[in-house]
Short mmCIF file of all heavy atoms in Angstrom, two decimals:
data_model
loop_
_atom_site.label_atom_id
_atom_site.label_comp_id
_atom_site.label_asym_id
_atom_site.label_seq_id
_atom_site.Cartn_x
_atom_site.Cartn_y
_atom_site.Cartn_z
N PHE A 1368 -30.92 -94.15 85.57
CA PHE A 1368 -29.88 -93.43 86.32
C PHE A 1368 -28.51 -93.99 85.97
O PHE A 1368 -28.33 -95.21 85.79
CB PHE A 1368 -30.11 -93.60 87.82
CG PHE A 1368 -31.38 -92.95 88.32
CD1 PHE A 1368 -32.56 -93.67 88.39
CD2 PHE A 1368 -31.39 -91.60 88.70
CE1 PHE A 1368 -33.73 -93.06 88.85
CE2 PHE A 1368 -32.52 -91.01 89.15
CZ PHE A 1368 -33.69 -91.73 89.24
N ASP A 1369 -27.54 -93.08 85.87
CA ASP A 1369 -26.16 -93.46 85.69
C ASP A 1369 -25.57 -93.69 87.07
O ASP A 1369 -25.16 -92.75 87.76
CB ASP A 1369 -25.38 -92.36 84.95
CG ASP A 1369 -23.96 -92.79 84.54
OD1 ASP A 1369 -23.33 -93.53 85.35
OD2 ASP A 1369 -23.51 -92.39 83.46
N ILE A 1370 -25.52 -94.95 87.49
CA ILE A 1370 -25.17 -95.31 88.85
C ILE A 1370 -23.73 -94.88 89.19
O ILE A 1370 -23.47 -94.38 90.29
CB ILE A 1370 -25.36 -96.81 89.08
CG1 ILE A 1370 -26.84 -97.20 88.87
CG2 ILE A 1370 -24.88 -97.18 90.48
CD1 ILE A 1370 -27.81 -96.47 89.73
N GLU A 1371 -22.81 -95.06 88.25
CA GLU A 1371 -21.43 -94.69 88.53
C GLU A 1371 -21.25 -93.18 88.76
O GLU A 1371 -20.47 -92.80 89.61
CB GLU A 1371 -20.53 -95.16 87.40
CG GLU A 1371 -20.44 -96.69 87.28
CD GLU A 1371 -20.06 -97.35 88.59
OE1 GLU A 1371 -19.08 -96.92 89.21
OE2 GLU A 1371 -20.74 -98.35 88.95
N LYS A 1372 -21.97 -92.39 88.03
CA LYS A 1372 -21.88 -90.94 88.26
C LYS A 1372 -22.52 -90.55 89.59
O LYS A 1372 -22.07 -89.64 90.26
CB LYS A 1372 -22.57 -90.19 87.09
CG LYS A 1372 -21.80 -90.21 85.80
CD LYS A 1372 -22.46 -89.39 84.71
CE LYS A 1372 -21.59 -89.37 83.43
NZ LYS A 1372 -22.22 -88.58 82.34
N ILE A 1373 -23.58 -91.24 89.96
CA ILE A 1373 -24.24 -90.97 91.25
C ILE A 1373 -23.27 -91.31 92.39
O ILE A 1373 -23.15 -90.57 93.38
CB ILE A 1373 -25.55 -91.77 91.38
CG1 ILE A 1373 -26.61 -91.20 90.41
CG2 ILE A 1373 -26.09 -91.68 92.83
CD1 ILE A 1373 -27.86 -92.04 90.32
N LYS A 1374 -22.54 -92.39 92.23
CA LYS A 1374 -21.56 -92.77 93.27
C LYS A 1374 -20.47 -91.75 93.45
O LYS A 1374 -19.84 -91.67 94.54
CB LYS A 1374 -20.95 -94.14 92.91
CG LYS A 1374 -21.89 -95.35 93.06
CD LYS A 1374 -21.20 -96.64 92.71
CE LYS A 1374 -22.12 -97.81 92.85
NZ LYS A 1374 -21.45 -99.10 92.46
N SER A 1375 -20.20 -90.96 92.39
CA SER A 1375 -19.14 -89.98 92.49
C SER A 1375 -19.64 -88.60 92.94
O SER A 1375 -18.86 -87.64 93.04
CB SER A 1375 -18.47 -89.83 91.12
OG SER A 1375 -19.35 -89.27 90.15
N LEU A 1376 -20.93 -88.48 93.23
CA LEU A 1376 -21.47 -87.20 93.69
C LEU A 1376 -20.85 -86.78 95.02
O LEU A 1376 -20.64 -87.60 95.88
CB LEU A 1376 -22.99 -87.30 93.87
CG LEU A 1376 -23.86 -87.42 92.60
CD1 LEU A 1376 -25.32 -87.60 93.01
CD2 LEU A 1376 -23.72 -86.21 91.72
N LYS A 1377 -20.55 -85.50 95.13
CA LYS A 1377 -20.04 -84.93 96.35
C LYS A 1377 -21.12 -84.03 96.95
O LYS A 1377 -21.28 -82.88 96.57
CB LYS A 1377 -18.74 -84.14 96.10
CG LYS A 1377 -17.60 -84.97 95.53
CD LYS A 1377 -17.24 -86.11 96.46
CE LYS A 1377 -16.09 -86.96 95.87
NZ LYS A 1377 -15.78 -88.13 96.73
N LEU A 1378 -21.90 -84.60 97.84
CA LEU A 1378 -23.01 -83.87 98.47
C LEU A 1378 -22.60 -83.32 99.81
O LEU A 1378 -21.92 -83.98 100.59
CB LEU A 1378 -24.21 -84.77 98.65
CG LEU A 1378 -24.81 -85.44 97.37
CD1 LEU A 1378 -25.92 -86.39 97.73
CD2 LEU A 1378 -25.27 -84.36 96.38
N SER A 1379 -23.05 -82.10 100.08
CA SER A 1379 -22.77 -81.49 101.39
C SER A 1379 -23.64 -82.16 102.45
O SER A 1379 -23.23 -82.25 103.64
CB SER A 1379 -23.07 -79.98 101.37
OG SER A 1379 -22.35 -79.36 100.34
N ALA A 1380 -24.81 -82.65 102.08
CA ALA A 1380 -25.68 -83.37 103.00
C ALA A 1380 -26.90 -83.91 102.24
O ALA A 1380 -27.18 -83.51 101.10
CB ALA A 1380 -26.16 -82.45 104.12
N VAL A 1381 -27.58 -84.84 102.89
CA VAL A 1381 -28.88 -85.36 102.40
C VAL A 1381 -29.90 -85.08 103.52
O VAL A 1381 -29.67 -85.35 104.70
CB VAL A 1381 -28.81 -86.87 102.16
CG1 VAL A 1381 -30.19 -87.47 101.96
CG2 VAL A 1381 -27.97 -87.15 100.90
N PHE A 1382 -31.08 -84.55 103.09
CA PHE A 1382 -32.19 -84.30 104.03
C PHE A 1382 -33.34 -85.19 103.62
O PHE A 1382 -33.74 -85.20 102.44
CB PHE A 1382 -32.60 -82.83 104.00
CG PHE A 1382 -31.74 -81.94 104.83
CD1 PHE A 1382 -30.44 -81.61 104.45
CD2 PHE A 1382 -32.19 -81.43 106.05
CE1 PHE A 1382 -29.62 -80.82 105.21
CE2 PHE A 1382 -31.34 -80.62 106.84
CZ PHE A 1382 -30.07 -80.31 106.41
N ILE A 1383 -33.89 -85.90 104.57
CA ILE A 1383 -35.04 -86.81 104.33
C ILE A 1383 -36.19 -86.36 105.17
O ILE A 1383 -36.09 -86.24 106.39
CB ILE A 1383 -34.65 -88.26 104.66
CG1 ILE A 1383 -33.46 -88.69 103.80
CG2 ILE A 1383 -35.83 -89.20 104.41
CD1 ILE A 1383 -32.89 -90.03 104.14
N SER A 1384 -37.32 -86.10 104.54
CA SER A 1384 -38.49 -85.50 105.18
C SER A 1384 -39.20 -86.46 106.12
O SER A 1384 -39.79 -86.03 107.13
CB SER A 1384 -39.49 -84.96 104.15
OG SER A 1384 -39.98 -86.01 103.34
N HIS A 1385 -39.20 -87.75 105.78
CA HIS A 1385 -39.82 -88.75 106.65
C HIS A 1385 -39.42 -90.15 106.16
O HIS A 1385 -38.74 -90.29 105.13
CB HIS A 1385 -41.38 -88.60 106.66
CG HIS A 1385 -42.05 -88.72 105.31
ND1 HIS A 1385 -41.88 -87.83 104.30
CD2 HIS A 1385 -42.91 -89.65 104.86
CE1 HIS A 1385 -42.63 -88.18 103.26
NE2 HIS A 1385 -43.25 -89.30 103.58
N TYR A 1386 -39.82 -91.16 106.92
CA TYR A 1386 -39.28 -92.50 106.73
C TYR A 1386 -40.01 -93.34 105.71
O TYR A 1386 -39.59 -94.52 105.48
CB TYR A 1386 -39.23 -93.27 108.07
CG TYR A 1386 -40.60 -93.48 108.71
CD1 TYR A 1386 -41.40 -94.54 108.32
CD2 TYR A 1386 -41.08 -92.62 109.68
CE1 TYR A 1386 -42.65 -94.75 108.89
CE2 TYR A 1386 -42.32 -92.83 110.27
CZ TYR A 1386 -43.10 -93.90 109.85
OH TYR A 1386 -44.33 -94.08 110.46
N HIS A 1387 -41.04 -92.87 105.07
CA HIS A 1387 -41.77 -93.73 104.09
C HIS A 1387 -40.81 -94.15 102.97
O HIS A 1387 -39.89 -93.43 102.61
CB HIS A 1387 -42.97 -92.97 103.52
CG HIS A 1387 -44.09 -92.82 104.49
ND1 HIS A 1387 -45.16 -92.00 104.26
CD2 HIS A 1387 -44.29 -93.41 105.67
CE1 HIS A 1387 -46.00 -92.08 105.30
NE2 HIS A 1387 -45.50 -92.93 106.15
N ASP A 1388 -41.10 -95.33 102.39
CA ASP A 1388 -40.12 -95.94 101.50
C ASP A 1388 -39.92 -95.22 100.15
O ASP A 1388 -38.94 -95.44 99.48
CB ASP A 1388 -40.47 -97.40 101.25
CG ASP A 1388 -41.90 -97.62 100.82
OD1 ASP A 1388 -42.27 -97.14 99.73
OD2 ASP A 1388 -42.66 -98.27 101.55
N ASP A 1389 -40.85 -94.30 99.81
CA ASP A 1389 -40.63 -93.54 98.59
C ASP A 1389 -39.90 -92.22 98.84
O ASP A 1389 -39.71 -91.39 97.98
CB ASP A 1389 -41.95 -93.23 97.87
CG ASP A 1389 -43.00 -92.58 98.78
OD1 ASP A 1389 -42.86 -92.64 100.01
OD2 ASP A 1389 -43.92 -91.94 98.24
N HIS A 1390 -39.38 -92.08 100.10
CA HIS A 1390 -38.57 -90.94 100.50
C HIS A 1390 -37.27 -91.35 101.12
O HIS A 1390 -36.25 -90.64 101.03
CB HIS A 1390 -39.35 -90.04 101.44
CG HIS A 1390 -40.59 -89.49 100.87
ND1 HIS A 1390 -40.68 -88.22 100.30
CD2 HIS A 1390 -41.84 -90.03 100.69
CE1 HIS A 1390 -41.89 -88.02 99.83
NE2 HIS A 1390 -42.62 -89.11 100.05
N CYS A 1391 -37.28 -92.48 101.80
CA CYS A 1391 -36.09 -92.99 102.51
C CYS A 1391 -35.83 -94.44 102.00
O CYS A 1391 -36.45 -95.37 102.48
CB CYS A 1391 -36.31 -92.99 104.02
SG CYS A 1391 -34.97 -93.63 104.97
N SER A 1392 -34.91 -94.53 101.05
CA SER A 1392 -34.61 -95.83 100.45
C SER A 1392 -33.15 -96.16 100.73
O SER A 1392 -32.23 -95.42 100.39
CB SER A 1392 -34.83 -95.78 98.94
OG SER A 1392 -34.32 -96.98 98.33
N MET A 1393 -32.94 -97.33 101.34
CA MET A 1393 -31.58 -97.79 101.63
C MET A 1393 -30.80 -98.07 100.37
O MET A 1393 -29.57 -97.85 100.30
CB MET A 1393 -31.61 -99.01 102.52
CG MET A 1393 -32.26 -98.78 103.87
SD MET A 1393 -31.36 -97.56 104.85
CE MET A 1393 -32.44 -97.41 106.26
N GLU A 1394 -31.47 -98.54 99.34
CA GLU A 1394 -30.77 -98.84 98.08
C GLU A 1394 -30.25 -97.59 97.43
O GLU A 1394 -29.17 -97.59 96.82
CB GLU A 1394 -31.71 -99.62 97.13
CG GLU A 1394 -31.99 -101.03 97.60
CD GLU A 1394 -32.77 -101.85 96.63
OE1 GLU A 1394 -32.67 -101.56 95.41
OE2 GLU A 1394 -33.49 -102.78 97.00
N SER A 1395 -30.99 -96.48 97.55
CA SER A 1395 -30.53 -95.19 96.99
C SER A 1395 -29.42 -94.63 97.86
O SER A 1395 -28.37 -94.19 97.36
CB SER A 1395 -31.69 -94.21 96.90
OG SER A 1395 -32.60 -94.58 95.87
N LEU A 1396 -29.59 -94.63 99.17
CA LEU A 1396 -28.55 -94.08 100.05
C LEU A 1396 -27.27 -94.90 99.95
O LEU A 1396 -26.16 -94.36 100.10
CB LEU A 1396 -29.06 -94.14 101.52
CG LEU A 1396 -30.19 -93.20 101.90
CD1 LEU A 1396 -30.62 -93.39 103.35
CD2 LEU A 1396 -29.78 -91.72 101.66
N ASN A 1397 -27.40 -96.17 99.64
CA ASN A 1397 -26.21 -97.04 99.55
C ASN A 1397 -25.26 -96.59 98.45
O ASN A 1397 -24.07 -96.98 98.45
CB ASN A 1397 -26.68 -98.48 99.28
CG ASN A 1397 -25.57 -99.49 99.36
OD1 ASN A 1397 -24.83 -99.53 100.34
ND2 ASN A 1397 -25.45 -100.33 98.33
N LEU A 1398 -25.71 -95.78 97.49
CA LEU A 1398 -24.86 -95.30 96.42
C LEU A 1398 -23.98 -94.17 96.82
O LEU A 1398 -23.02 -93.83 96.09
CB LEU A 1398 -25.72 -94.91 95.21
CG LEU A 1398 -26.63 -95.98 94.63
CD1 LEU A 1398 -27.48 -95.41 93.50
CD2 LEU A 1398 -25.84 -97.19 94.13
N LEU A 1399 -24.24 -93.54 97.94
CA LEU A 1399 -23.57 -92.31 98.32
C LEU A 1399 -22.35 -92.52 99.20
O LEU A 1399 -22.24 -93.53 99.90
CB LEU A 1399 -24.55 -91.42 99.07
CG LEU A 1399 -25.82 -91.02 98.28
CD1 LEU A 1399 -26.73 -90.15 99.16
CD2 LEU A 1399 -25.47 -90.28 97.01
N ASP A 1400 -21.47 -91.56 99.14
CA ASP A 1400 -20.23 -91.55 99.97
C ASP A 1400 -20.68 -91.60 101.45
O ASP A 1400 -21.55 -90.85 101.84
CB ASP A 1400 -19.45 -90.24 99.69
CG ASP A 1400 -18.09 -90.25 100.36
OD1 ASP A 1400 -18.00 -90.65 101.53
OD2 ASP A 1400 -17.12 -89.82 99.69
N ARG A 1401 -20.03 -92.47 102.24
CA ARG A 1401 -20.43 -92.67 103.62
C ARG A 1401 -20.09 -91.46 104.50
O ARG A 1401 -20.55 -91.41 105.64
CB ARG A 1401 -19.82 -93.95 104.16
CG ARG A 1401 -20.28 -95.25 103.49
CD ARG A 1401 -21.82 -95.30 103.41
NE ARG A 1401 -22.32 -96.58 103.04
CZ ARG A 1401 -22.68 -96.94 101.79
NH1 ARG A 1401 -22.60 -96.04 100.83
NH2 ARG A 1401 -23.10 -98.15 101.52
N ALA A 1402 -19.28 -90.54 103.97
CA ALA A 1402 -18.97 -89.34 104.73
C ALA A 1402 -20.07 -88.31 104.58
O ALA A 1402 -20.01 -87.25 105.28
CB ALA A 1402 -17.63 -88.76 104.28
N THR A 1403 -21.05 -88.53 103.74
CA THR A 1403 -22.15 -87.58 103.53
C THR A 1403 -23.02 -87.53 104.78
O THR A 1403 -23.56 -88.55 105.18
CB THR A 1403 -23.00 -87.99 102.32
OG1 THR A 1403 -22.20 -88.19 101.16
CG2 THR A 1403 -24.08 -86.95 102.04
N PRO A 1404 -23.19 -86.36 105.37
CA PRO A 1404 -24.10 -86.25 106.52
C PRO A 1404 -25.56 -86.51 106.12
O PRO A 1404 -26.03 -85.99 105.06
CB PRO A 1404 -23.93 -84.81 107.02
CG PRO A 1404 -22.64 -84.35 106.43
CD PRO A 1404 -22.52 -85.07 105.10
N ILE A 1405 -26.27 -87.30 106.88
CA ILE A 1405 -27.68 -87.61 106.61
C ILE A 1405 -28.52 -86.99 107.71
O ILE A 1405 -28.28 -87.26 108.90
CB ILE A 1405 -27.96 -89.14 106.56
CG1 ILE A 1405 -26.97 -89.84 105.61
CG2 ILE A 1405 -29.40 -89.42 106.18
CD1 ILE A 1405 -27.12 -89.47 104.17
N TYR A 1406 -29.52 -86.19 107.33
CA TYR A 1406 -30.45 -85.61 108.30
C TYR A 1406 -31.84 -86.13 107.95
O TYR A 1406 -32.33 -86.00 106.83
CB TYR A 1406 -30.47 -84.08 108.19
CG TYR A 1406 -29.14 -83.40 108.56
CD1 TYR A 1406 -28.11 -83.26 107.62
CD2 TYR A 1406 -28.94 -82.89 109.84
CE1 TYR A 1406 -26.91 -82.67 107.97
CE2 TYR A 1406 -27.75 -82.27 110.17
CZ TYR A 1406 -26.73 -82.17 109.26
OH TYR A 1406 -25.57 -81.55 109.59
N ILE A 1407 -32.52 -86.70 108.93
CA ILE A 1407 -33.84 -87.27 108.70
C ILE A 1407 -34.80 -86.85 109.84
O ILE A 1407 -34.41 -86.80 111.00
CB ILE A 1407 -33.78 -88.82 108.59
CG1 ILE A 1407 -35.19 -89.39 108.30
CG2 ILE A 1407 -33.16 -89.46 109.81
CD1 ILE A 1407 -35.22 -90.85 107.95
N TYR A 1408 -36.02 -86.53 109.43
CA TYR A 1408 -37.09 -86.29 110.42
C TYR A 1408 -37.79 -87.61 110.68
O TYR A 1408 -38.46 -88.17 109.79
CB TYR A 1408 -38.08 -85.24 109.94
CG TYR A 1408 -39.20 -85.03 110.94
CD1 TYR A 1408 -38.96 -84.26 112.08
CD2 TYR A 1408 -40.44 -85.58 110.76
CE1 TYR A 1408 -39.94 -84.06 113.04
CE2 TYR A 1408 -41.44 -85.40 111.73
CZ TYR A 1408 -41.20 -84.61 112.84
OH TYR A 1408 -42.16 -84.42 113.76
N CYS A 1409 -37.61 -88.11 111.91
CA CYS A 1409 -38.22 -89.40 112.27
C CYS A 1409 -38.25 -89.48 113.78
O CYS A 1409 -37.21 -89.26 114.40
CB CYS A 1409 -37.48 -90.56 111.66
SG CYS A 1409 -38.22 -92.18 111.99
N LEU A 1410 -39.40 -89.81 114.33
CA LEU A 1410 -39.50 -89.89 115.77
C LEU A 1410 -38.97 -91.20 116.34
O LEU A 1410 -38.91 -91.40 117.56
CB LEU A 1410 -40.96 -89.70 116.20
CG LEU A 1410 -41.63 -88.39 115.78
CD1 LEU A 1410 -43.04 -88.30 116.35
CD2 LEU A 1410 -40.80 -87.19 116.16
N PHE A 1411 -38.58 -92.12 115.45
CA PHE A 1411 -38.11 -93.42 115.87
C PHE A 1411 -36.60 -93.50 115.69
O PHE A 1411 -36.07 -93.45 114.58
CB PHE A 1411 -38.78 -94.53 115.07
CG PHE A 1411 -40.29 -94.50 115.11
CD1 PHE A 1411 -41.02 -93.86 114.13
CD2 PHE A 1411 -40.94 -95.12 116.15
CE1 PHE A 1411 -42.41 -93.80 114.19
CE2 PHE A 1411 -42.35 -95.09 116.21
CZ PHE A 1411 -43.06 -94.44 115.23
N ASP A 1412 -35.87 -93.69 116.81
CA ASP A 1412 -34.42 -93.80 116.74
C ASP A 1412 -33.99 -95.03 115.95
O ASP A 1412 -32.86 -95.05 115.42
CB ASP A 1412 -33.86 -93.89 118.16
CG ASP A 1412 -33.98 -92.60 118.93
OD1 ASP A 1412 -34.12 -91.55 118.26
OD2 ASP A 1412 -33.96 -92.62 120.16
N GLU A 1413 -34.84 -96.02 115.81
CA GLU A 1413 -34.50 -97.21 115.08
C GLU A 1413 -34.13 -96.91 113.64
O GLU A 1413 -33.22 -97.53 113.07
CB GLU A 1413 -35.68 -98.18 115.11
CG GLU A 1413 -35.35 -99.53 114.47
CD GLU A 1413 -36.51 -100.51 114.52
OE1 GLU A 1413 -37.58 -100.14 115.02
OE2 GLU A 1413 -36.35 -101.66 114.08
N MET A 1414 -34.78 -95.91 113.01
CA MET A 1414 -34.45 -95.54 111.63
C MET A 1414 -33.04 -94.94 111.55
O MET A 1414 -32.30 -95.20 110.58
CB MET A 1414 -35.47 -94.59 111.05
CG MET A 1414 -35.27 -94.25 109.58
SD MET A 1414 -35.23 -95.73 108.50
CE MET A 1414 -36.95 -96.25 108.59
N ILE A 1415 -32.66 -94.17 112.56
CA ILE A 1415 -31.30 -93.65 112.61
C ILE A 1415 -30.30 -94.80 112.61
O ILE A 1415 -29.29 -94.78 111.89
CB ILE A 1415 -31.12 -92.78 113.90
CG1 ILE A 1415 -32.13 -91.62 113.94
CG2 ILE A 1415 -29.67 -92.24 113.95
CD1 ILE A 1415 -31.95 -90.55 112.87
#
């Protein structure tokens, strides 16, 4: 992956289907603009 190009992505939103680590990775999310809305399906508020 070209990390610098990923950091410059302008996403309207990110949708995460569930909290398993091959779908919800903090290291991957960490590359995105913090203004990007994140939507996740998870019954645990702790993940939010």
